[in-house]
Amino acid sequence: MLLQDKVVIVTGIGPGMGAKMVRDAAAAGARVVAMSRSDFVMGDVVKAATEAGGRAIGVLGDVTKAEDCARVAASAVEAFGTIDGLINSAYYHPPMVPLLDNDADDLRQAFDVIVGGALNMTRAVLPAFEARGKGAIVNIGTMANRKPMAGEGGYVLAKGALSSLTRQLALELGPKNIRVNMTTMGWLGGPATDMFFEWRALSTGRTKEEAVAEAAARIALGRIPPDDECGRAALMLLSDYAVQVTGATLDVNGGEYMPA
């Protein structure tokens, strides 16, 4: 199996891609630690991972708090003996307004969660990686860094910083045999995207199907990429198939990154 016996931490667990990555990592043979600020979906996520044939635990924690991140890492080692991989999926999206209208506190929170959270989690797992002599980190990025969209400014700023962080950590942690990569996600078909297209349809007087078709027309594969299929690419970067890949950004967006 792709992740047989690897111990993987996934942050930012909600009803979307984070939950799917936990389930699919477990199905691929991993022992998974799911981290979230809320236990709203945690029980269902752990249950789905177990039903997929793997092992998983859920740990409540806030990635902006270094002590929470340390506790999650300690829980992983206590439950499974080590840590092999980390996916930094936690994010905060400021209100979708023009960038100059974003409140400074909202912008600060986006950076605290997306960038500060990735740093906190990296520091937390580093001792376990160093003890094993290897490790892998995947940061979840966004297509909006290449194709700006109205209302995405605060989110894009933080994700752009995460992209720079990915390359910097790849350089600094490479001598420790720790790989750091990023996936560039576009549309992620799931609950949040469904709500967005429903909102867009209502606000433009079109049907949801028309709103979806408009977005899909800009994607080479011609459809909104399902969030679980995108999440599996992040899991691949944690696997031994990618042992020579670090500092890289992998487009996982159905080809949307290509010019029209």
Side-chain angles (χ1 to χ4, degrees), residues 38 64 72 75 104-105 193 201 203:
S38 170
T64 68
V72 170
S75 296
D105 288 339
T193 304
S203 64

Side-chain angles (χ1 to χ4, degrees), residues 87-103:
I87 297 180
N88 286 311
S89 181
Y91 74 95
Y92 170 76
H93 198 305
M96 294 188 68
V97 298
L99 177 59
L100 295 179
D101 293 336
N102 271 133
D103 184 270

